[in-house]
């Protein structure tokens, strides 16, 4: 049996010594202000023990990690079939904001984890829910078993002002009749969803059900085991933009990253791990977070492969 | 010397007998209502005589033909150099609404006659002019020497409601910092510009300067002969979306088409010809208009080549 | 515990009743002759028991499945680092013969399982080995612990005559200086590698090491457990052309298909399964084979996720 | 009336003073040896006078300029219709060696002046002619009215050895059934065609028919005036790779360039001009040649627009 605490400590130590910590994204002004020296990890073992190091208890913007949670809510509401009529589940092989592929494939996003796919999921939820923002937030709070989780309204407003690429994507989707609701309404929901803030512990808890066959920390079941298998598969093949293959190759776990510097990954039946380090590599994933998870799976010898 | 009237009559007769008249565009609701049996030609010889057949005096939506006039106004205001910093003058080889190329080339439109290029020209004019819509309309009226020319406000409003692809393009330009003004403001100007209505005679007159070294019907000079040469070159290489090569090959004249079914073409020093037939071919150009101009240059043996 | 034999029988029964069995590929004349009513499965449990149904003992052309074995041999000879200088490990998101991406990415194949990537692996092995064809065949025989496995020389010759797309890819690689040896020599090796024939049992045995941390049926270790993890990751993300995401989503196992109609997949530590049915779906993967594996993982509830 | 000799002298003087003369291509080893200080112009007026400066009488490799001559021979043999079944006449908007577009458009080259299009023309001529190389050379000699013109066999052999991109293109065409003859045979013809050497005077003479409605220097008619119009149109829209729009915009003449540093251009009914300067700009066209022709049309005020 590994000494997980020791592994986490050694990863943190190495991270602190690294001078090249990546770059915080400047295209979302609110995120550009974050200090890139933050570093935290929270490890949640299903057998009961938890381990943590560094800034595991400081909240950050979960950004694209929210796409997994909105997909889970859409699966929960509608099942997979209706969703798959409006998007594919193939890796895109391209950076997260490429519109070219969306145009070439006539408005059918490659998967729910590129921006255009997540915008369609947002559209689906708006059509299904009475109070989309409130209900989605409640869903996330329930998954994480923590009623303090909230949107960051400044971040949401900041993205609404400068998120031109997302407006381009949403309008392109609309031109292909793959958006039922108004562009502004859908993006308002989408920007709020992305603005949710959590710390490493809350995120690990929120992802508990993906390692536990659909059953949450609070023992409630939100997804069938077949749905969980499918969401995990999409995380593995599409969770890291055009670095998904690299992550599968080096880390070997389903996971999801966000431009807020968070990465969450999991081994079904065994653990959920969340790492936060705000500096990004050129592909838009947390630079130290990627290295931390690679180091964790190598040292612990735990992966799906 | 040709009997031009006889040539025009024979073209009209043949067009009326054609059962396959193409399709009116449905994506702009106001244009979908036009009767596709309309057919008119107006030929303006620089030596003085004019010839016309059919519905040459019925107004139609000039749509993309307005891109030549806005480019002319931008050349007139700013000269070519400042404009060429924000776009290229190469044929796109792609349909008129492709965003892929714009994304691949980082927000630099291929040329001023694809939508994204014309949107940048609109942005340039807004930055230059105090009352962009009024001043542009006046410019067009002066070129055509006809103060009755006007916008069609319903058509402009119709495009503002459903022009999602243009909203996508403008937002993408904005994301690449190639749009100075607000997306909504730029597109409002752009949609008005496209909504201008003219008949075949008015359009031929408005294009008089391109066949006459920059000097208008009313004898005023708006462009240098070098500017005219350049605008004519762009019309030849980029005037017909991804059918530009075909038009150069079959017709051999600089020209420009619009989804309202109009086509205007010209032989420098000799003539301007405008044809209107609302049904479009699959590439978005007037089906009978293309055939009419091919027939005209073949019968008259007049082309630039 | 599942009754695996019963599951396999039920899958076979259903497959036999299916009228739509896909299409055998016509672009390799020798493969076009195969009867598409063949259907066989061989399941190899690591704890010791084997299960099989139908035509599990008839040999077929393994084609692209050989790419996993040549990659394993290259890892074994050279380690991962040298290989990764000449190719990437990202899913391509495109059909298996697309040259566009290779050109766009300047001769660096997306991964070792698209044709261009496998051609680079072939080039690497030629540079490393004295008698490449003989040594590779021996490597495969040793992995499968079966010295009767052989090339099909007619199939290799058939591909050499008509494999224009592969000649195009190899020449393109050469133009980007990503091929050390002669195009003809590399493709001769590649076509022989693809022509190897095995039955379902032999294939399952040859893939034993990928489920067993690098150790073969005959107890010899060819790969480190880290190398095995990486090859399994590439199988999961890139093993099924542009249907890789779909396979991960529906089946949830690392695997590899070939146009000969074979599919092999595995659950590390638990089993290897090979299915053969010659008719292909439009993406080039065995139509009934995909359904069979989906059915197997659903019924057995065994997947990596 | 211009003093053409004076204009040419001034252009030569300016060219000689330019320190940035571009780069000779290194991918064809024989061409890499040429001294980039050569500079020559030959101007052929249809009314009778000729003008020349510099190295107008030194032979150089015409390379892609030969594509116009092979297209002319194909038009002469077969007419336009059969040719247009196997290729398009649209600008490619891409560099001259892009295979992506060819693959996307399923083996139909964009136009006869990109490599893949010229390879199809070579294939057409091989199918039509008994002794393709001899007959093509004779055709070129007759056009130029000069029986001393010849292939450079070293250059042809040099390209056959290293022309991997052309082998890739030809094999891709073959895979799409758009090549009737063997890849090696077609490329052997193609490489010889490109290796023809002429000086500026010979090239201007060979292009005489394109300015003279299809009638040669020696008074023989090889093309109809409609065929000439069409070939001139393709030169204007496609003659300069992805700089065709720029050339039309700045120069305003149909023309064709080659990587040997030659450019020939013409004004129908008026003149043919050939410039040679071996250094290329980043787009693969003669750097000083482009500037020379721009300067010539600006000073002489002669263009098609």
């Amino acid at each position: 049996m590994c000494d997980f605490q020791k592994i986490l400590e050694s990863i943190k130590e190495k991270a602190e010594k690294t001078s090249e910590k990546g770059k915080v994204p400047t295209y979302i002004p609110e995120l550009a202000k974050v200090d890139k020296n933050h570093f935290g990890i929270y490890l949640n073992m299903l057998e009961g023990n938890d381990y943590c190091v560094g800034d595991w208890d400081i909240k950050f913007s979960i950004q694209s990690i929210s796409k997994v949670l909105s997909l889970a809510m859409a699966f929960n509401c509608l099942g997979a079939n209706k969703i798959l009529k409006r998007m594919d589940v193939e890796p895109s092989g391209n950076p997260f904001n490429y519109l070219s592929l969306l145009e070439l494939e006539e408005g059918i996003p490659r998967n729910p984890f590129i921006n255009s796919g997540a915008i369609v999921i947002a559209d689906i939820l708006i059509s299904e829910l009475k109070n989309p923002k409130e209900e989605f937030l409640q869903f996330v709070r329930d998954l994480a078993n923590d009623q303090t989780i909230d949107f960051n309204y400044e971040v949401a407003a900041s993205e609404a002002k400068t998120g031109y690429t997302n407006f381009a994507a949403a309008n392109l989707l609309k031109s292909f009749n793959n958006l039922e609701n108004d562009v502004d309404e859908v993006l308002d929901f989408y920007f709020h969803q992305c603005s949710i803030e959590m710390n490493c512990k809350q995120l690990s808890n929120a992802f508990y059900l993906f390692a536990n066959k659909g059953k949450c920390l609070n023992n409630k079941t939100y997804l069938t085991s077949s749905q969980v298998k499918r969401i995990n598969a999409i995380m593995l093949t599409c969770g890291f933009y055009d670095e998904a293959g690299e992550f599968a190759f080096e880390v070997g776990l389903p996971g999801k990253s966000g431009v807020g510097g968070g990465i969450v990954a999991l081994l079904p039946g065994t653990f959920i791990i969340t790492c936060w380090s705000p500096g990004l590599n050129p592909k838009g994933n947390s630079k130290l977070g990627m290295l931390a998870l690679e180091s964790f799976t190598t040292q612990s010898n735990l992966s799906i492969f």
Side-chain angles (χ1 to χ4, degrees), chain A residues 28 57 60-61 108 155 165 178-179 181 200 209 235 266 290:
Chain A
I28 303 175
D57 58 347
F60 57 90
S61 198
I108 301 299
V155 168
T165 323
N178 200 5
L179 214 66
N181 301 285
C200 293
L209 81 166
M235 277 198 254
L266 58 101
M290 297 291 276

Side-chain angles (χ1 to χ4, degrees), chain A residues 67-296:
Chain A
K67 293 169 182 172
V68 186
L69 304 173
S70 64
L71 179 66
M73 193 177 194
F75 266 54
N76 178 258
C77 294
L78 280 180
N81 290 344
K82 280 201 184 170
I83 294 166
L84 292 178
K85 280 181 192 148
R86 294 179 60 186
M87 75 188 58
D88 213 336
V89 291
E90 293 300 325
S92 74
N94 279 326
F96 63 106
N97 56 358
Y98 258 31
L99 298 187
S100 308
L101 207 59
L102 183 59
E103 188 173 47
L104 188 67
E105 299 181 351
E106 305 197 333
I108 301 299
R110 266 296 171 93
N111 64 65
F113 293 166
I114 55 173
N115 287 10
S116 57
I119 290 169
V120 170
I121 295 291
D123 183 55
I124 287 171
L125 290 177
I126 289 174
S127 296
E128 286 296 312
L129 306 174
K130 275 193 193 156
N131 301 299
K133 281 190 275 192
E134 292 71 16
E135 294 179 45
F136 178 70
L137 184 59
Q138 192 54 51
F139 177 76
V140 174
R141 286 172 171 173
D142 291 347
L143 288 189
N145 203 20
D146 186 329
Q147 303 302 316
T148 70
I149 292 168
D150 211 342
F151 300 124
N152 179 320
Y153 294 95
E154 278 87 41
V155 168
S158 172
E159 294 202 51
K161 252 194 195 162
T162 60
Y164 302 117
T165 323
N166 287 318
F167 278 97
N171 275 289
L172 190 54
L173 287 166
K174 192 85 182 170
S175 78
F176 283 112
N177 289 315
N178 200 5
L179 214 66
E180 289 172 2
N181 301 285
D182 276 353
V183 163
D184 287 344
E185 191 183 358
V186 175
L187 288 180
D188 178 61
F189 176 66
Y190 177 70
F191 291 140
H192 277 83
Q193 153 194 334
C194 290
S195 82
I196 287 179
E197 292 185 334
M198 298 201 213
N199 61 35
C200 293
K201 179 180 181 179
Q202 291 168 321
L203 250 180
S204 281
N205 287 344
F207 273 65
Y208 194 91
L209 81 166
F210 301 115
N212 194 33
K213 300 189 177 177
K215 197 189 273 188
C216 261
L217 259 189
N218 67 5
N219 254 330
K220 238 178 109 180
T221 298
Y222 286 93
L223 297 171
T224 67
S225 70
S226 158
Q227 288 174 328
V228 162
K229 168 181 141 183
R230 289 165 175 214
I231 293 177
N232 285 340
I234 306 176
M235 277 198 254
L236 193 87
T237 54
C238 316
F240 293 84
Y241 311 128
D242 51 340
E243 213 174 12
E246 185 80 10
F247 191 80
F249 184 82
E250 299 290 356
V251 178
L253 294 176
K256 186 74 199 79
S257 69
V259 292
I263 300 182
V264 54
L266 58 101
L267 181 62
T270 311
F271 67 79
I272 309 103
I273 187 167
T274 301
C275 182
W276 175 50
S277 170
L280 307 184
N281 67 19
K283 305 250 174 177
N285 298 309
S286 170
K287 186 171 184 295
L288 298 183
M290 297 291 276
L291 296 173
L293 288 176
E294 185 193 338
S295 183
F296 178 75

